[in-house]
C-alpha cells in the first residue's frame, strides 16, 4: 500500500530513519557523553578571590565565637557539634520554636556558604554600598554569619532584622543568640553592626504556642536588652508591614536584594506557594499570592526586588558543590562552589556533527 495522504493539494511524505544508522547515532551519542566528560576542566570562578576572602572571614568569625562561647562557660557538645563551631545550640530550650534537622545545621556551618553568598551577590551584579535587606530567625545563625561575611568583603550594606526564636539546634541557647554573637564580632572588629531590629519570632512573630510557659518573657528580655528596635505587633500582617517600613527607611528606597534565611513566618508567609519556592537566587515568580500574610519574600517580589532564598540546606549544598556534614570542615577554596566546570567545545561540536550526519545518512523518504 502506498503511504500517500493529501492535505489539500500538498502530498504528505513519511520520513523513515534507517534503524542501522539510528543505532550508530546512539552509539556516537553515548561515546560523546563519556569522551566529552573526560575533557572537563575545572577552572576558578571569576569571583574566586572575593569568595575565598569571605570564607576565610567566616572561618575566623567561627573561631572567635567558639572561643567566646567557651569563655562564657557555655559548653560546646562535640556529639552534636563535632567541628566545635559553637554555632550549634541545644535541642530544646525556651527559645526552641520548631523541629530542626541536625545534619542541615552542621552542614550550614561550613564557611563555603560565605563563598556561595558572594557568588549569588555577583550574579545579581550588586555594587559597593548597595543595601541588602536580610530577614533571619535564629534557626541558621551560620547562614546569617555567612551572608554578613559576604557583605563585608563586597562592601555591601547589610540590614538585618532578627527574630529570636529558633528551630532545634539553631541559636537556641538563651545566653548565646545571634544578638550576642554579632555583638562579639563587632567588638573584636571582624564585622560591623548591621542589626536594625529584633522580634520574638515563633507563631505569628509573637512567640505564641511555645514549649515552655515563660518563653515569651525570656525572649522579650533578650529583645529589649539588644538596644535595637523591638518589633511586636498584634498581627502577622502588621509585623510584616513594620519590617517593610524599616527596610525601606534604612535603604532610603528599595533594597537591592532581600535575603531570607530559614522559615520565619514574617519572611516566609503562610502561603502554601512559599513551600514550592526554589533555593538560591529568585528573580521571577510564577505566581505571587494575594492576602495579608504572604510574607516579605512575596512583598519584595511584587516590588521587583530579587530574593535569595536559603532554606533547604541539603539541596543548596549539593547544587553548589558544598559537602554535606563534613568533619572536619574543609579548607576554604577547595570545594566546588569556587570553581566552574568547562568542557571541550571542539569535541562537543565534532560529536554533534557526527550525530547529525548519522541521522541525515539514515534518512529515507518514502512517498
Amino acid at each position: 500500500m502506498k503511504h500517500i495522504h493529501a492535505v489539500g493539494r500538498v502530498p504528505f511524505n513519511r520520513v523513515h530513519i534507517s534503524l542501522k544508522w539510528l543505532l550508530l547515532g546512539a552509539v556516537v551519542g553515548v561515546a560523546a557523553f563519556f569522551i566529552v566528560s573526560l575533557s572537563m576542566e575545572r577552572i576558578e570562578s571569576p569571583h574566586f578571590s572575593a569568595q575565598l576572602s569571605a570564607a576565610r572571614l567566616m572561618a575566623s568569625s567561627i573561631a572567635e565565637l567558639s572561643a567566646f562561647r567557651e569563655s562564657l562557660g557555655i559548653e560546646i557538645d562535640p556529639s552534636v557539634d563535632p567541628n566545635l563551631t559553637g554555632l550549634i545550640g541545644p535541642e530544646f530550650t525556651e527559645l526552641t520554636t520548631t523541629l530542626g534537622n541536625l545534619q542541615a545545621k552542621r552542614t550550614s556551618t561550613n564557611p563555603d556558604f560565605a563563598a556561595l553568598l558572594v557568588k549569588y551577590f555577583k550574579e545579581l551584579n550588586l555594587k559597593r554600598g548597595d543595601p541588602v535587606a536580610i530577614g533571619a530567625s535564629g534557626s541558621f545563625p551560620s547562614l546569617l554569619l555567612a551572608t554578613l561575611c559576604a557583605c563585608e568583603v563586597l562592601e555591601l550594606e547589610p540590614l538585618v532584622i532578627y527574630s529570636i526564636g529558633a528551630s532545634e539546634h539553631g541559636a537556641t541557647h538563651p545566653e548565646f543568640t545571634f544578638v550576642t554573637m554579632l555583638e562579639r564580632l563587632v567588638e573584636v572588629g571582624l564585622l560591623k553592626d548591621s542589626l536594625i531590629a529584633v522580634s520574638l519570632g515563633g507563631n505569628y512573630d509573637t512567640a505564641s504556642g511555645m514549649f515552655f510557659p515563660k518563653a515569651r518573657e525570656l525572649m522579650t528580655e533578650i529583645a529589649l536588652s539588644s538596644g535595637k528596635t523591638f518589633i511586636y505587633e498584634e498581627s502577622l500582617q502588621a509585623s510584616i508591614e513594620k519590617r517593610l517600613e524599616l527596610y525601606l527607611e534604612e535603604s532610603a528606597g528599595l533594597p537591592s536584594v532581600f535575603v531570607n534565611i530559614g522559615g520565619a513566618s514574617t519572611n516566609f508567609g503562610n502561603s502554601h506557594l512559599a513551600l514550592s519556592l526554589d533555593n538560591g537566587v529568585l528573580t521571577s515568580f510564577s505566581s505571587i499570592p494575594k492576602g495579608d500574610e504572604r510574607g516579605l519574600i512575596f512583598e519584595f517580589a511584587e516590588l521587583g526586588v530579587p530574593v535569595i532564598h536559603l532554606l533547604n540546606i541539603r539541596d543548596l549544598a549539593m547544587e553548589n558543590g558544598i559537602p554535606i556534614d563534613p568533619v572536619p570542615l574543609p579548607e576554604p577554596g577547595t570545594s566546588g562552589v569556587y570553581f566552574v566546570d568547562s568542557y571541550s567545545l571542539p569535541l562537543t561540536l565534532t560529536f554533534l556533527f557526527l550525530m547529525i550526519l548519522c541521522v541525515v545518512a539514515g534518512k529515507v523518504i518514502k512517498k
Side-chain angles (χ1 to χ4, degrees):
M1 181 178 175
K2 210 170 184 179
H3 296 286
I4 298 177
H5 305 274
V7 179
R9 293 183 176 219
V10 180
F12 174 77
N13 295 330
R14 176 172 294 178
V15 177
H16 291 267
I17 299 178
S18 160
L19 181 60
K20 179 179 67 178
W21 284 98
L22 193 60
L23 288 174
L24 182 59
V27 170
V28 171
V30 172
F33 175 79
F34 287 104
I35 294 174
V36 173
S37 296
L38 290 175
S39 75
M40 187 191 82
E41 186 181 3
R42 177 158 283 191
I43 59 174
E44 288 182 358
S45 152
H47 317 301
F48 182 87
S49 177
Q51 288 181 289
L52 191 58
S53 296
R56 285 175 173 167
L57 177 57
M58 182 167 169
S60 299
S61 299
I62 289 173
E64 176 60 36
L65 290 176
S66 177
F68 180 55
R69 175 171 166 155
E70 293 201 302
S71 76
L72 296 175
I74 305 171
E75 187 180 348
I76 298 175
D77 181 355
S79 68
V80 297
D81 187 4
N83 290 313
L84 305 178
T85 65
L87 295 173
I88 306 295
E91 187 174 15
F92 277 111
T93 71
E94 293 89 340
L95 308 190
T96 304
T97 54
T98 53
L99 301 177
N101 183 296
L102 180 57
Q103 185 190 59
K105 308 286 178 169
R106 291 200 296 238
T107 299
S108 70
T109 61
N110 190 334
D112 288 347
F113 277 95
L116 177 61
L117 266 296
V118 168
K119 175 185 164 186
Y120 286 158
F121 289 148
K122 287 292 186 180
E123 282 179 17
L124 292 169
N125 200 29
L126 299 194
K127 301 286 192 305
R128 178 183 180 186
D130 281 349
V132 176
I134 303 168
S137 67
S139 296
F140 289 98
S142 47
L143 291 185
L144 180 49
L145 177 60
T147 306
L148 296 182
C149 289
C151 287
E152 183 74 18
V153 167
L154 297 179
E155 299 184 74
L156 305 174
E157 294 298 327
L159 306 167
V160 179
I161 297 181
Y162 175 73
S163 50
I164 294 164
S167 57
E168 293 172 342
H169 296 298
T172 49
H173 198 293
E175 295 178 14
F176 206 63
T177 68
F178 194 79
V179 175
T180 303
M181 296 181 201
L182 185 58
E183 283 175 352
R184 178 62 180 180
L185 295 176
V186 172
E187 183 183 346
V188 298
L190 285 170
L191 291 178
K192 60 186 176 186
D193 188 3
S194 52
L195 188 61
I196 61 172
V198 294
S199 74
L200 301 185
N203 289 336
Y204 301 100
D205 204 27
T206 56
S208 61
M210 299 292 286
F211 295 109
F212 294 85
K214 293 189 176 179
R216 183 179 291 176
E217 287 80 355
L218 175 61
M219 294 165 78
T220 302
E221 184 182 328
I222 293 169
L224 293 174
S225 66
S226 73
K228 305 296 181 182
T229 298
F230 177 35
I231 300 174
Y232 187 89
E233 303 290 342
E234 291 301 318
S235 70
L236 179 61
Q237 177 59 19
S239 187
I240 293 168
E241 289 174 359
K242 180 64 177 177
R243 282 168 154 75
L244 193 57
E245 177 188 320
L246 284 171
Y247 283 134
L248 299 183
E249 183 182 315
E250 294 287 336
S251 301
L254 290 175
S256 298
V257 63
F258 173 65
V259 182
N260 171 57
I261 300 170
S265 53
T266 47
N267 304 319
F268 204 59
N270 283 339
S271 167
H272 68 280
L273 285 174
L275 298 173
S276 61
L277 290 174
D278 292 331
N279 273 305
V281 176
L282 303 174
T283 54
S284 63
F285 289 74
S286 58
S287 178
I288 296 178
K290 302 297 180 187
D292 294 338
E293 299 181 348
R294 59 184 179 175
L296 282 163
I297 287 178
F298 295 110
E299 295 290 345
F300 278 116
E302 191 159 79
L303 292 170
V305 175
V307 170
I308 295 175
H309 183 42
L310 307 175
L311 183 60
N312 189 330
I313 306 308
R314 182 179 178 82
D315 286 354
L316 202 59
M318 292 181 70
E319 288 165 7
N320 292 282
I322 297 175
I324 305 294
D325 200 7
V327 180
L329 291 171
E331 280 296 313
T334 57
S335 72
V337 72
Y338 301 90
F339 300 93
V340 177
D341 295 338
S342 66
Y343 298 88
S344 168
L345 183 60
L347 267 180
T348 304
L349 292 176
T350 299
F351 278 109
L352 184 61
F353 172 76
L354 290 174
M355 290 173 68
I356 292 172
L357 191 62
C358 288
V359 172
V360 171
K363 191 167 70 174
V364 177
I365 301 177
K366 294 184 178 180
K367 295 183 178 180

